Amino acid sequence: MSMEDLYQEIILDHYRKPKNRAPELADEAVHVHHSNPLCGDEMDLRIRVVDDRLDAVVFDGEGCSISQASASAMTQAAVGRELKDALDLAEDFRRMMHGDDPARPDDLGDGIAFTGVAKFPVRVKCALLGWMALRDAIQTFERGASAHTVTHEE
Amino acid sequence: MAIDVAAVRRSLPILDRELDGHRLVYLDSAASSLTPEPVLDAMDRYYRWSRSNVNRGVYPLAEEATDLYEGARTVLAGFLDADPTGVVFTKNATEACNLLAYGYVRAHLGPDDVLLSTVMEHHANLVPFTQAAAAVGAEVRHVPITPDGLLDLDAAAELLADGRVTFAAFVHVSNVLGTINDVPRLTRMVRDANDRAVVHVDGAQAAPHLPVSFRDLGIDSYAITGHKMLGPTGIGALVARPELLERMEPFLTGGDMIRDVTLTGATWNDVPHKFEAGTPMIAEAAGLAAAVGLLEGYGMAAVRAHERELTAQLLDALGTVAGVTVHGPKDVDLRGGAVSFALDGIHPHDVGAMLGSRGVCVRVGHHCTKPLMRCLDVAATTRASSYVYNDVDDLEPLVDGLEAAAAFFAR
């Protein structure tokens, strides 16, 4: 296994200088907490919604470089999107992690750099953590709730 | 006599592998040891030469197979200074703990009883007993650890003070901290508090690395697994006082473990056969016996001395890497060769990926000890663990890999 296959420079950039990393968000609509107990990754994700669009997405948490960098790239790709569109993009990323070609490579932005993670099954759940938290945050909002906690057991 | 590491390595063709141009450096024996050729040969010989079932046929081949299997029981009993009648072969140490939890704890304990455990247990020596305790309504108490990673025996004394602890299960050598627990002392404490108490010890990380006398430990049962002591996967054992086995209910029922069967009931075979239902792992027993033969050939005192020296060198080497914090005792007289550590600011998965890319095999994660991870206030650790085929030349690739990880993931 080559370190370069897994850790693209873009991934390391997001790891070293994460985007939209913050412990709180003004006027947040939803706060979700997701964890991967097997790795100990923890993720807090907060979204602000204006007119059915993601006006702001911030994350905070602890975990390996893949989980933190992927969440950072996710926030950049998600902000400004309609909720339905963001859900569709999260599904595209999930399929990519399971080996499919992404349908929306341009929209995934830096998320496309994580393609190689699909070759490392142990790390797939790390890359997915932020995206699954985003999906859950939107679904929580659509249910009319403001908070949700999820433990990923796989 | 010192371990001839070069000779041990010659019996392990896997060490000739190169990974992306890097020599394979195997530092994950606490998870599973490598398997020397004499062990493979013993299993191969059974399949090629003595293949038949045990305890059934009256033809010579079947007698050979039975001798191989029962001979392995005697060999293992000799290695651990135990009575062969008390050796029950299981799939692994986890199954040995489950056998005891189902056969003894669930059958004999009730709401008035208290189980004693510790916060440093592997899930294998914890979950079967917490589940059994919950099923019978018994309380479970946990001995905490000191900042050095030793069992806090003062706290244990308080937990034992009311005399209600009737079953204790604790680990001999921690798979994370490396701590070698003072089994005879804690066992005496348990028995002084209640002379009817049964004491079980998880020896999965001890039997491969230390001289162990079951009799001298003074305990009632001991769980081991073959694949951590140069043997194959798929075989372990519950080593117990035969009197304890006599009091236990069968866990798995079926063939071999019966004396007589009617359409509506059955009576049980003598111990230990009462606990070995169905055709057992015959080849694996032959392999385990060969592994024990190798360890006895090295001498367990020599194995311990080799690892003690190597662990001292490993701790020194880790001390040269900026940002490394070692969990567990620093005194090599109090610890085995499994060394867990943190590399400041870098998640163990990232550390493990860097080391793996350089051919260095270590374990990263929670090591099946989630309560201990919470005590240490970490999600996971990186663990390097040594055995008879490791030497000081394995330490430089580890240190180089850690320094590379620190540089690569620097923020």
Side-chain angles (χ1 to χ4, degrees), chain B residues 102-367:
Chain B
Y102 278 86
Y104 181 77
V105 176
R106 287 179 187 244
H108 290 292
L109 268 60
D112 294 335
D113 293 292
V114 175
L115 282 76
L116 188 74
S117 177
T118 85
V119 298
M120 66 162 74
E121 297 309 310
H122 188 285
H123 298 162
N125 200 41
L126 178 67
V127 181
F129 300 116
T130 53
Q131 292 299 109
V136 301
E139 179 190 337
V140 185
R141 296 176 186 166
H142 304 278
V143 181
I145 54 172
T146 66
D148 294 340
L150 306 177
L151 284 181
D152 184 341
L153 294 183
D154 292 337
E158 288 176 31
L159 296 175
L160 292 164
D162 65 4
R164 287 180 57 208
V165 170
T166 52
F167 182 85
F170 53 89
V171 68
H172 193 168
V173 175
S174 163
N175 68 317
V176 173
L177 303 168
T179 314
I180 302 172
N181 290 319
D182 189 342
V183 172
R185 183 166 167 208
L186 183 53
T187 301
R188 277 195 304 275
M189 289 170 64
V190 172
R191 296 205 195 287
D192 286 348
N194 185 325
D195 59 9
R196 292 179 303 114
V198 166
V199 178
H200 171 68
V201 171
D202 169 5
Q205 301 286 348
H209 303 285
L210 309 174
V212 172
S213 164
F214 176 75
R215 277 177 242 270
D216 288 351
L217 289 176
I219 58 178
D220 296 292
S221 62
Y222 197 71
I224 64 115
T225 193
H227 73 94
K228 292 190 202 294
M229 46 192 283
L230 307 179
T233 59
I235 188 162
L238 182 71
V239 178
R241 293 177 193 262
E243 312 89 85
L244 175 66
L245 294 182
E246 296 286 357
R247 295 171 63 201
M248 283 166 54
E249 295 301 315
F251 172 37
L252 299 171
T253 55
D256 270 346
M257 55 77 66
I258 50 84
R259 166 154 297 129
D260 193 14
V261 176
T262 66
L263 285 177
T264 53
T267 53
W268 313 134
N269 200 341
D270 293 334
V271 301
H273 309 287
K274 167 177 151 185
F275 300 103
E276 294 179 357
T279 295
M281 40 310 229
I282 306 164
E284 288 76 8
L288 178 58
V292 166
L294 290 172
L295 291 171
E296 288 182 329
Y298 306 144
M300 289 309 292
V303 170
R304 168 61 183 153
H306 174 74
E307 289 196 71
R308 186 184 169 284
E309 177 64 22
L310 192 56
T311 303
Q313 289 165 327
L314 171 59
L315 291 171
D316 284 348
L318 289 173
T320 68
V321 182
V324 165
T325 307
V326 171
H327 303 292
K330 311 298 181 288
D331 180 347
V332 291
D333 288 330
L334 300 178
R335 65 168 306 139
V339 179
S340 285
F341 55 91
L343 185 55
D344 189 31
I346 305 177
H347 192 281
H349 278 180
D350 291 324
V351 175
M354 173 60 85
L355 293 173
S357 75
R358 295 164 153 254
V360 180
C361 308
V362 298
R363 176 78 183 272
V364 295
H366 58 62
H367 316 289

Side-chain angles (χ1 to χ4, degrees), chain A residues 1-4 6-7 12 15-16 37-41 63-66 122-123 126, chain B residues 20 345-347 349-351 353-354 356-357 365-366 370 379-380 407-411:
Chain A
M1 145 184 163
S2 142
M3 286 296 277
E4 286 69 33
L6 183 59
Y7 297 101
L12 288 171
Y15 169 67
R16 292 184 184 120
L38 280 179
C39 335
D41 295 343
C64 69
S65 59
I66 301 291
V122 175
R123 309 304 291 278
C126 311
Chain B
D20 285 340
I346 305 177
H347 192 281
H349 278 180
D350 291 324
V351 175
M354 173 60 85
S357 75
H366 58 62
K370 293 219 66 167
F408 191 79
F409 293 105
R411 293 201 233 203

